[in-house]
Amino acid sequence: MSTFFQALILGLLIGGVYSLAASGMNLVFGVMRVVNIAQGSMLILSAYLTYSLWDATGIDPLLLTVITTPSLLIVGWVTYYIFIERSRTTDPSMALVTTFGLGLVVKGVIALIWGNAPHSVTPGYANESFSVLGMRFPQAMVYSWLVAAVVLTGLYLLLRRTWMGRSIQATAASSEGARLIGIEVRKTWAAAYAIGVAAAGAGGSLLSVLYPFMPSSADHWIGLTLSIIVLGGMGSLPGSVLGAVVIAVAESLTSTYVSPDWAVAVPYIAIIVVLVVRPQGLLGTRLREDMSRA
């Protein structure tokens, strides 16, 4: 029984980090109806930035989220105005292709700067664990969960308690309606995209402590984050949290009781099941066709 509870709690811990990794992508979709395929590359870019800063300064990599988050915010803002806005105003479906191409470019830049060899960030507590009732929990995982909880709380408060957040919510509901009440939709889209990429900045720093990474790791993370938002409900931030926890717990239990090899397949099995049973996801809602084009 202790093995089950340990696997369950480990799944909940990693689920918090998954939530942060997926929240930015879901925010962008909720506001712009664009699946940001470049999000996986942004996560890995943040992981490499964390690695370089940690290697050069020795600062705790989890504390480096205060640097990587605003850095990726700027990257998101710039790439939106240079690439995403133009493609989206030409043809909304082209934005998907643009983000795919942007992701390839970011991976290429990463490979040119850092190479293709795997990297990892190993602070002093990387191999340390807490012992609770005979169960052991990695300190890196616990600390990462705490940081993810703080960042997600901050994102929630930003969206619920600030004028920018209310503008983002109004634009997500209807861009035309937002214009009618005086919201600058163009700037709101840019802000939502930049905040979504900034969330990848925080998530990448946390993931760099938990997993080895290389440029091609972006493909794994875009697949995982897509699985999370499809399961939880595309456009629903609470759905991101729920979907992340469900997938992380399923991965942990599968790895413990079946095989780590099968755990890799869990997100993709989740996509298939959800698309068949409940296409809008656990917390998603069906959109009318005319609303989906707003």
Side-chain angles (χ1 to χ4, degrees), residues 110-122:
I110 291 172
L112 284 173
I113 297 175
W114 287 282
N116 288 304
H119 288 68
S120 59
V121 178
T122 54

Side-chain angles (χ1 to χ4, degrees), residues 45 48-49 51-52 106-116 119 215:
L45 174 61
Y48 274 100
L49 290 175
Y51 169 80
S52 293
V106 173
K107 283 200 296 183
V109 171
I110 291 172
L112 284 173
I113 297 175
W114 287 282
N116 288 304
H119 288 68

Side-chain angles (χ1 to χ4, degrees), residues 116-284:
N116 288 304
H119 288 68
S120 59
V121 178
T122 54
Y125 51 81
N127 297 314
E128 300 295 328
S129 299
F130 294 112
S131 181
V132 180
L133 300 176
M135 299 179 288
R136 302 187 68 82
F137 304 104
Q139 291 186 17
M141 195 174 291
V142 174
Y143 297 149
S144 295
W145 183 89
L146 291 172
V147 174
V150 170
V151 176
L152 285 170
T153 301
L155 179 60
Y156 176 83
L157 293 175
L158 172 68
L159 294 175
R160 295 292 181 179
R161 302 293 177 84
T162 67
W163 170 253
M164 178 183 292
R166 295 188 183 100
S167 298
I168 289 173
Q169 291 183 71
T171 303
S174 171
S175 58
E176 292 303 321
R179 287 191 181 95
L180 290 175
I181 61 175
I183 294 173
E184 295 188 54
V185 171
R186 176 174 176 263
K187 291 183 178 180
T188 302
W189 281 334
Y193 186 85
I195 292 170
V197 175
S205 291
L206 305 188
L207 294 172
S208 71
V209 178
L210 302 178
Y211 302 101
F213 52 90
M214 54 196 302
S216 61
S217 300
D219 300 329
H220 166 74
W221 288 107
I222 192 61
L224 179 61
T225 52
L226 270 173
S227 302
I228 289 169
I229 67 174
V230 168
L231 175 60
M234 299 187 76
S236 169
L237 285 179
S240 294
V241 177
L242 179 59
V245 169
V246 170
I247 284 181
V249 169
E251 284 183 338
S252 181
L253 293 175
T254 301
S255 181
T256 300
Y257 290 104
V258 183
S259 167
D261 295 332
W262 277 100
V264 178
V266 167
Y268 306 102
I269 295 172
I271 285 183
I272 296 172
V273 172
V274 170
L275 290 177
V276 171
V277 177
R278 186 178 169 84
Q280 68 268 38
L282 297 176
L283 298 184

